[in-house]
């Protein structure tokens, strides 16, 4: 079981949307799966730890949110994030650039591996387009 404070810190970093789950996990010494579980509100510490003393730690049981209708721990995080996203819309996504696909996946490939990566990627996309997989 990880500390409720770590859960709270994961939640704080997730709201910032500046880091991937993997990076947040590395920063806090937990797995990216743990970060993902916290992102989905499915971590076992959430809402069930009576000793949880982290601020904002939701306490169960879930209730029906009057705004979005979801079964959530109040206050509804989804509605809060939606409001924050409306107030601070994200900048438009860059056009997807195949040549930068490896870079955006944070792969640091040697040139010969880069060539191999692109070949595999193109083959994969052809297979997907042809209905395989
Ligand atoms: Zn809601």
């Amino acid at each position: 079981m990880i500390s409720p404070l770590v859960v709270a810190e994961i939640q704080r970093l997730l709201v910032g949307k500046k880091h991937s789950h993997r990076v947040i996990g590395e920063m806090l010494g937990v797995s990216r799966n743990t970060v993902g579980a916290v992102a989905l509100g499915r971590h076992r510490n959430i809402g069930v730890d009576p000793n949880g003393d982290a601020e904002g730690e939701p306490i169960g049981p879930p209730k029906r949110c009057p705004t979005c209708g979801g079964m959530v721990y109040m206050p509804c995080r989804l509605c809060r994030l939606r409001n924050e996203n409306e107030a601070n819309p994200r900048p438009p996504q860059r056009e997807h650039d195949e040549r930068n696909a490896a870079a955006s996946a944070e792969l640091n490939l040697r040139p010969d591996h880069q060539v191999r990566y692109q070949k595999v990627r193109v083959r994969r996309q052809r297979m997907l387009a042809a209905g395989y997989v």
Side-chain angles (χ1 to χ4, degrees):
M1 179 180 267
I2 62 173
S3 159
L5 291 174
V6 173
V7 174
E9 181 65 7
I10 291 170
Q11 289 167 338
R12 190 184 70 77
L13 290 168
L14 286 169
V15 169
K17 292 186 175 175
K18 287 180 185 152
H19 310 289
S20 69
H21 291 183
R22 181 177 59 80
V23 168
I24 292 173
E26 284 170 1
M27 284 160 50
L28 299 175
V30 299
S31 75
R32 65 186 167 84
N33 290 331
T34 297
V35 177
V38 171
L40 294 170
R42 289 186 186 150
H43 192 271
R44 61 183 173 275
N45 275 359
I46 294 177
V48 296
D49 185 353
N51 299 317
D53 58 356
E55 280 189 22
E57 186 80 359
I59 303 296
K63 294 190 174 77
R64 181 73 62 189
C65 172
T67 308
C68 69
M71 290 299 287
V72 299
Y73 297 105
M74 297 301 288
C76 178
R77 193 174 300 152
L78 176 61
C79 288
R80 178 169 61 80
L81 288 174
R82 280 179 177 160
N83 289 338
E84 286 175 9
N85 286 344
E86 274 174 32
N88 302 303
R90 282 200 281 178
Q93 297 282 317
R94 259 189 318 153
E95 284 289 310
H96 185 67
D97 183 345
E98 277 303 318
R99 287 163 301 174
N100 284 335
S104 62
E106 295 183 30
L107 299 174
N108 194 6
L109 300 175
R110 296 199 322 234
D112 52 330
H113 290 171
Q114 178 83 29
V115 169
R116 171 78 182 142
Y117 174 85
Q118 291 303 341
K119 282 183 185 166
V120 170
R121 202 177 153 79
V122 165
R123 189 191 313 151
R124 164 98 180 144
Q125 286 182 339
R126 283 195 192 128
M127 287 178 73
L128 282 171
Y132 294 104
V133 187

